Amino acid sequence: MSVQRRRLALARRSALVVASAVVALAVMPAVSQAEPPVSIAQVEARLEALQEEAEQATELWLGVRAEAEGAQRRLDKANAKALRSEAALAEMERAVGAFAAAAYRAGGLDQSFSLLLADDPSEFLAQVSSLDGIARRQSDALHRSAVARQAFENDTRIAQQELAALEALKADLAAKKRLLDDKVSAAEGMLASLKADQRRALEARQDAARAAAIKEAERAAEAGRATRGGDRPAASTSSGSSGSGSQGASSSRAAGAVRYALAQVGKRYVYAAAGPNAFDCSGLTMMAYRSVGVSLPHQSGMQYASTRKIAASDLRPGDLVYYYSPISHVAIYIGGGRIVDAANPSAGVRIAPLYSMPFVGASRP
């Protein structure tokens, strides 16, 4: 065999060996490249992100639900108005029909026109004034009938528009509910995928956090009782005697809302819940203020829109604080740079630092 042929054969054998090694490496278990085990901190971070997405979906759903409820009320009013217009129209048509029947019986004229045929000419002038009044009543009846028909048609059209709007909102509501369900399922799936020891470790951390929050709530409530209203900056009491009664009532309501919210610390977070055993963020703030006679909608963005905006530097206990953009979380400021909020399914109702989440604004009910 020539030198050139030996070299060619050697090259072929070398290529075959390399190829076999590549194939062997490809089919071997990738033990050295296996993903490292996920830490509890990583699980918590991922779970928190999923729960935040679920809360955003919840707030979207609550907003559309409120719009649908408003549309239903408008539809009910429009239907009631259309029914009243229909009844008025029927009454006007009966009146016009009565005039028409009278005219038919009189041979084409209202019976009142037969007064003109009386034998006594001295009564003619008085009869003329009577006929003018009858003619005006006929004209008024026709006019009212036309107005009633126009009102009925307009009210019917409005009712139909409100019905179409309601149906569109219901479809949107169903879509938002599916989105919420998907987000909640993803978070629940994340928990279900944990190994038993990981799940126990996570639950232990969550239990410890809730216990600490309850102790903090008890300390805050005790401090509030000791100072008869809690942590109030000087700015809330330094405005003089003018309007002091109104400010006092407002401070009393705020203190009552704070007490209610603190009493819920440690309870569960459930999407769209509003007590008594579980809350979502806007459900907690809504019920806290309902306990002192103040009505708020069950949606964080709507609560912001319906209350008086204040600067962060003017915060007082009882003020509402909002997070994320667009707004999807709300809490109650309790003083000392702290809030109480229904955080998420992992933390439940808790006490947290004011700036523990992306702060976007504050308002005063």
Side-chain angles (χ1 to χ4, degrees):
M1 181 180 295
S2 64
V3 174
Q4 185 175 5
R5 287 182 177 178
R6 282 198 300 273
R7 288 178 177 174
L8 181 59
L10 180 61
R12 287 174 177 171
R13 285 196 297 273
S14 299
L16 182 60
V17 169
V18 170
S20 300
V22 169
V23 171
L25 287 172
V27 298
M28 284 177 63
V31 176
S32 61
Q33 297 180 359
E35 293 185 1
V38 178
S39 69
I40 291 296
Q42 290 172 317
V43 169
E44 285 182 311
R46 178 57 182 152
L47 187 59
E48 183 178 349
L50 285 170
Q51 289 172 341
E52 181 184 328
E53 291 175 5
E55 184 169 47
Q56 291 171 350
T58 301
E59 293 299 297
L60 287 173
W61 179 78
L62 288 171
V64 176
R65 186 180 70 172
E67 291 179 23
E69 289 171 351
Q72 182 66 61
R73 288 191 294 270
R74 292 192 299 272
L75 175 60
D76 292 342
K77 289 181 180 178
N79 281 333
K81 190 175 181 182
L83 286 173
R84 290 194 297 270
S85 297
E86 185 177 26
L89 174 60
E91 182 64 29
M92 292 302 102
E93 288 179 340
R94 281 194 295 272
V96 172
F99 281 121
Y104 176 78
R105 288 193 299 271
L109 294 174
D110 190 284
Q111 284 182 337
S112 303
F113 284 89
S114 62
L115 293 172
L116 293 176
L117 304 178
D119 294 333
D120 187 356
S122 65
E123 297 180 1
F124 180 76
L125 293 177
Q127 294 167 357
V128 167
S129 63
S130 176
L131 290 171
D132 286 344
I134 293 170
R136 282 195 300 272
R137 288 196 298 274
Q138 289 175 321
S139 177
D140 288 345
L142 290 170
H143 177 70
R144 288 196 300 271
S145 177
V147 169
R149 176 167 293 280
Q150 185 178 24
F152 171 66
E153 292 174 352
N154 184 58
D155 293 337
T156 301
R157 183 175 65 255
I158 291 174
Q160 291 171 343
Q161 291 171 348
E162 294 293 353
L163 177 60
L166 177 60
E167 293 300 326
L169 282 171
K170 285 183 176 179
D172 193 18
L173 184 62
K176 296 294 190 297
K177 184 64 168 61
R178 288 192 295 271
L179 175 63
L180 170 59
D181 291 343
D182 290 344
K183 298 297 184 183
V184 172
S185 296
E188 291 174 346
M190 180 74 181
L191 284 174
S193 67
L194 296 178
K195 294 180 180 179
D197 57 340
Q198 290 177 312
R199 190 156 49 246
R200 284 193 297 269
L202 181 59
E203 289 171 353
R205 290 170 67 127
Q206 292 171 352
D207 289 343
R210 279 192 284 270
I214 291 172
K215 288 183 179 179
E216 180 68 15
E218 291 171 348
R219 285 195 295 270
E222 182 61 32
R225 285 191 292 270
T227 58
R228 292 188 180 182
D231 180 9
R232 294 181 187 171
S236 67
T237 58
S238 62
S239 57
S241 60
S242 176
S244 59
S246 175
Q247 290 180 359
S250 177
S251 296
S252 177
R253 288 194 298 268
V258 169
R259 284 195 296 271
Y260 179 95
L262 288 174
Q264 314 313 312
V265 170
K267 291 187 177 179
R268 295 180 303 122
Y269 178 106
V270 173
Y271 298 104
N277 300 315
F279 300 86
D280 70 356
C281 67
S282 54
L284 175 65
T285 52
M286 177 184 71
M287 295 306 295
Y289 267 96
R290 182 179 293 180
S291 72
V292 293
V294 177
S295 178
L296 292 174
H298 188 178
Q299 206 265 352
S300 55
M302 295 173 69
Q303 288 182 3
Y304 183 72
S306 63
T307 49
R308 180 164 61 90
K309 314 303 176 290
I310 59 171
S313 59
D314 192 34
L315 276 173
R316 299 203 301 251
D319 290 339
L320 300 179
V321 287
Y322 304 88
Y323 299 91
Y324 305 105
S325 182
I327 290 171
S328 60
H329 191 76
V330 60
I332 297 180
Y333 183 65
I334 61 173
R338 299 169 302 169
I339 60 169
V340 58
D341 71 332
N344 54 53
S346 297
V349 182
R350 62 171 188 180
I351 291 176
L354 172 62
Y355 294 108
S356 58
M357 296 167 284
F359 176 91
V360 295
S363 71
R364 186 166 295 152

